Short mmCIF file of all heavy atoms in Angstrom, two decimals:
data_model
loop_
_atom_site.label_atom_id
_atom_site.label_comp_id
_atom_site.label_asym_id
_atom_site.label_seq_id
_atom_site.Cartn_x
_atom_site.Cartn_y
_atom_site.Cartn_z
N ASN H 31 -29.02 -5.02 54.41
CA ASN H 31 -28.85 -6.45 54.70
C ASN H 31 -29.13 -6.79 56.16
O ASN H 31 -29.48 -7.93 56.47
CB ASN H 31 -27.44 -6.90 54.30
CG ASN H 31 -27.28 -6.93 52.79
OD1 ASN H 31 -28.23 -7.18 52.05
ND2 ASN H 31 -26.09 -6.61 52.31
N MET H 35 -35.54 -8.31 54.85
CA MET H 35 -35.50 -9.77 54.66
C MET H 35 -34.80 -10.11 53.34
O MET H 35 -35.03 -9.43 52.34
CB MET H 35 -36.92 -10.35 54.68
CG MET H 35 -37.55 -10.25 56.05
SD MET H 35 -39.13 -11.12 56.08
CE MET H 35 -39.72 -10.60 57.69
N TYR H 38 -34.29 -10.54 48.20
CA TYR H 38 -33.58 -10.01 47.03
C TYR H 38 -32.12 -9.86 47.44
O TYR H 38 -31.80 -9.89 48.62
CB TYR H 38 -34.11 -8.64 46.63
CG TYR H 38 -35.61 -8.56 46.49
CD1 TYR H 38 -36.39 -8.04 47.52
CD2 TYR H 38 -36.25 -9.02 45.34
CE1 TYR H 38 -37.78 -7.97 47.40
CE2 TYR H 38 -37.63 -8.94 45.22
CZ TYR H 38 -38.39 -8.42 46.26
OH TYR H 38 -39.75 -8.36 46.13
N SER H 46 -32.01 8.17 41.60
CA SER H 46 -32.83 8.98 40.70
C SER H 46 -32.91 8.34 39.32
O SER H 46 -32.12 7.45 38.98
CB SER H 46 -32.24 10.40 40.58
OG SER H 46 -31.01 10.35 39.89
N ASP H 54 -27.12 5.88 40.58
CA ASP H 54 -27.04 5.30 41.92
C ASP H 54 -26.67 6.38 42.93
O ASP H 54 -26.43 7.53 42.55
CB ASP H 54 -26.11 4.08 41.94
CG ASP H 54 -24.63 4.43 41.96
OD1 ASP H 54 -24.29 5.64 41.96
OD2 ASP H 54 -23.82 3.49 41.98
N VAL H 55 -26.64 6.01 44.21
CA VAL H 55 -26.42 7.01 45.26
C VAL H 55 -25.03 7.63 45.19
O VAL H 55 -24.78 8.67 45.81
CB VAL H 55 -26.64 6.42 46.68
CG1 VAL H 55 -28.12 6.31 46.99
CG2 VAL H 55 -25.94 5.07 46.85
N ILE H 91 -55.37 12.29 48.20
CA ILE H 91 -54.47 11.14 48.05
C ILE H 91 -55.23 9.83 48.09
O ILE H 91 -54.85 8.87 47.43
CB ILE H 91 -53.36 11.18 49.15
CG1 ILE H 91 -52.44 12.38 48.89
CG2 ILE H 91 -52.55 9.88 49.16
CD1 ILE H 91 -51.28 12.52 49.87
N LEU H 96 -65.54 3.50 49.53
CA LEU H 96 -66.88 3.89 50.01
C LEU H 96 -67.32 5.12 49.24
O LEU H 96 -68.48 5.46 49.17
CB LEU H 96 -66.83 4.20 51.50
CG LEU H 96 -66.43 3.02 52.39
CD1 LEU H 96 -66.37 3.47 53.85
CD2 LEU H 96 -67.40 1.87 52.22
N PHE H 97 -66.31 5.81 48.67
CA PHE H 97 -66.57 7.01 47.88
C PHE H 97 -65.86 6.84 46.54
O PHE H 97 -64.76 6.31 46.51
CB PHE H 97 -66.06 8.24 48.61
CG PHE H 97 -66.48 8.27 50.05
CD1 PHE H 97 -65.60 7.88 51.06
CD2 PHE H 97 -67.78 8.61 50.40
CE1 PHE H 97 -66.00 7.85 52.39
CE2 PHE H 97 -68.20 8.58 51.73
CZ PHE H 97 -67.31 8.20 52.72
N ALA H 131 -57.77 -11.50 41.60
CA ALA H 131 -59.14 -11.04 41.31
C ALA H 131 -59.71 -11.83 40.13
O ALA H 131 -60.88 -12.23 40.14
CB ALA H 131 -59.15 -9.55 41.02
N GLY H 140 -67.98 -19.73 37.95
CA GLY H 140 -68.02 -21.19 37.83
C GLY H 140 -68.92 -21.83 38.88
O GLY H 140 -69.58 -22.84 38.62
N VAL H 150 -56.78 -23.78 34.19
CA VAL H 150 -55.61 -24.34 33.51
C VAL H 150 -54.62 -23.20 33.24
O VAL H 150 -55.00 -22.18 32.66
CB VAL H 150 -56.01 -25.03 32.18
CG1 VAL H 150 -54.76 -25.51 31.43
CG2 VAL H 150 -56.96 -26.19 32.45
N THR H 167 -48.81 -20.43 39.13
CA THR H 167 -47.51 -20.37 38.46
C THR H 167 -46.87 -21.76 38.49
O THR H 167 -46.40 -22.21 39.54
CB THR H 167 -46.58 -19.34 39.16
OG1 THR H 167 -47.19 -18.05 39.07
CG2 THR H 167 -45.21 -19.30 38.51
N PRO H 178 -49.45 -26.54 52.21
CA PRO H 178 -50.27 -26.91 51.07
C PRO H 178 -50.68 -25.70 50.24
O PRO H 178 -51.15 -24.70 50.80
CB PRO H 178 -51.50 -27.55 51.73
CG PRO H 178 -51.60 -26.86 53.06
CD PRO H 178 -50.21 -26.50 53.47
N THR H 217 -41.31 -15.66 25.69
CA THR H 217 -41.80 -16.52 24.61
C THR H 217 -43.19 -16.08 24.15
O THR H 217 -44.15 -16.16 24.92
CB THR H 217 -41.90 -17.98 25.11
OG1 THR H 217 -40.70 -18.31 25.80
CG2 THR H 217 -42.12 -18.93 23.96
N TYR H 259 -52.93 -10.36 18.35
CA TYR H 259 -53.44 -11.64 17.81
C TYR H 259 -54.90 -11.43 17.42
O TYR H 259 -55.52 -10.44 17.80
CB TYR H 259 -53.36 -12.74 18.88
CG TYR H 259 -51.94 -13.06 19.31
CD1 TYR H 259 -51.31 -12.34 20.32
CD2 TYR H 259 -51.24 -14.09 18.70
CE1 TYR H 259 -50.02 -12.64 20.73
CE2 TYR H 259 -49.94 -14.40 19.10
CZ TYR H 259 -49.34 -13.67 20.11
OH TYR H 259 -48.07 -13.96 20.50
N LEU H 281 -58.12 -5.42 36.82
CA LEU H 281 -58.73 -6.55 36.12
C LEU H 281 -59.75 -5.94 35.18
O LEU H 281 -60.60 -5.15 35.61
CB LEU H 281 -59.42 -7.49 37.12
CG LEU H 281 -60.37 -8.53 36.54
CD1 LEU H 281 -59.62 -9.55 35.68
CD2 LEU H 281 -61.12 -9.26 37.66
N ALA H 285 -68.05 -7.66 28.29
CA ALA H 285 -69.41 -7.34 28.75
C ALA H 285 -70.03 -8.51 29.51
O ALA H 285 -70.69 -8.34 30.53
CB ALA H 285 -70.28 -6.95 27.55
N ALA H 309 -51.72 9.03 37.71
CA ALA H 309 -50.47 8.64 37.05
C ALA H 309 -50.79 7.79 35.81
O ALA H 309 -50.21 7.99 34.74
CB ALA H 309 -49.58 7.86 38.01
N VAL H 316 -49.33 10.00 27.49
CA VAL H 316 -47.97 10.04 26.93
C VAL H 316 -47.83 9.00 25.82
O VAL H 316 -47.26 9.28 24.76
CB VAL H 316 -46.91 9.81 28.05
CG1 VAL H 316 -45.52 9.62 27.44
CG2 VAL H 316 -46.91 10.97 29.04
N ASN H 331 -37.97 -3.63 16.50
CA ASN H 331 -37.45 -4.36 15.33
C ASN H 331 -35.97 -4.06 15.11
O ASN H 331 -35.19 -4.95 14.78
CB ASN H 331 -38.26 -4.01 14.07
CG ASN H 331 -39.62 -4.71 14.08
OD1 ASN H 331 -39.82 -5.70 14.80
ND2 ASN H 331 -40.56 -4.18 13.32
N ASP H 342 -25.68 -14.23 15.29
CA ASP H 342 -24.94 -14.71 14.12
C ASP H 342 -23.44 -14.81 14.42
O ASP H 342 -22.74 -15.63 13.85
CB ASP H 342 -25.16 -13.76 12.93
CG ASP H 342 -26.61 -13.76 12.47
OD1 ASP H 342 -27.34 -14.71 12.83
OD2 ASP H 342 -27.03 -12.81 11.78
N LEU H 347 -24.82 -17.88 21.57
CA LEU H 347 -26.11 -17.18 21.53
C LEU H 347 -26.98 -17.91 20.51
O LEU H 347 -26.60 -18.08 19.36
CB LEU H 347 -25.91 -15.72 21.14
CG LEU H 347 -25.01 -14.90 22.08
CD1 LEU H 347 -24.91 -13.46 21.59
CD2 LEU H 347 -25.53 -14.92 23.51
N LEU H 348 -28.15 -18.36 20.97
CA LEU H 348 -28.94 -19.30 20.17
C LEU H 348 -30.05 -18.66 19.36
O LEU H 348 -30.35 -19.09 18.26
CB LEU H 348 -29.54 -20.37 21.08
CG LEU H 348 -28.54 -21.13 21.97
CD1 LEU H 348 -29.27 -22.13 22.85
CD2 LEU H 348 -27.47 -21.82 21.13
N GLY H 352 -39.31 -12.57 21.05
CA GLY H 352 -40.07 -11.52 21.72
C GLY H 352 -40.81 -10.67 20.72
O GLY H 352 -40.82 -10.96 19.52
N MET H 356 -40.09 -6.11 24.19
CA MET H 356 -40.03 -7.21 25.15
C MET H 356 -39.22 -8.29 24.45
O MET H 356 -39.76 -9.09 23.68
CB MET H 356 -41.45 -7.67 25.46
CG MET H 356 -41.57 -8.74 26.53
SD MET H 356 -43.32 -8.91 26.99
CE MET H 356 -43.16 -10.19 28.23
N GLU H 398 -30.32 6.84 19.07
CA GLU H 398 -28.94 7.12 19.51
C GLU H 398 -28.60 6.30 20.75
O GLU H 398 -27.51 5.77 20.88
CB GLU H 398 -28.74 8.61 19.88
CG GLU H 398 -29.15 9.60 18.83
CD GLU H 398 -30.61 10.01 18.99
OE1 GLU H 398 -30.92 10.91 19.79
OE2 GLU H 398 -31.45 9.40 18.27
N ASP H 409 -19.48 -4.99 23.77
CA ASP H 409 -18.32 -5.06 24.67
C ASP H 409 -18.53 -6.12 25.76
O ASP H 409 -17.61 -6.86 26.10
CB ASP H 409 -18.07 -3.69 25.32
CG ASP H 409 -17.54 -2.67 24.30
OD1 ASP H 409 -17.14 -3.11 23.20
OD2 ASP H 409 -17.55 -1.46 24.61
#
Side-chain angles (χ1 to χ4, degrees):
N31 290 328
M35 292 187 189
Y38 310 99
S46 68
D54 78 1
V55 282
I91 293 181
L96 298 178
F97 312 100
V150 176
T167 299
T217 313
Y259 297 86
L281 167 66
V316 171
N331 285 340
D342 295 342
L347 300 181
L348 306 178
M356 185 169 180
E398 307 90 83
D409 290 346

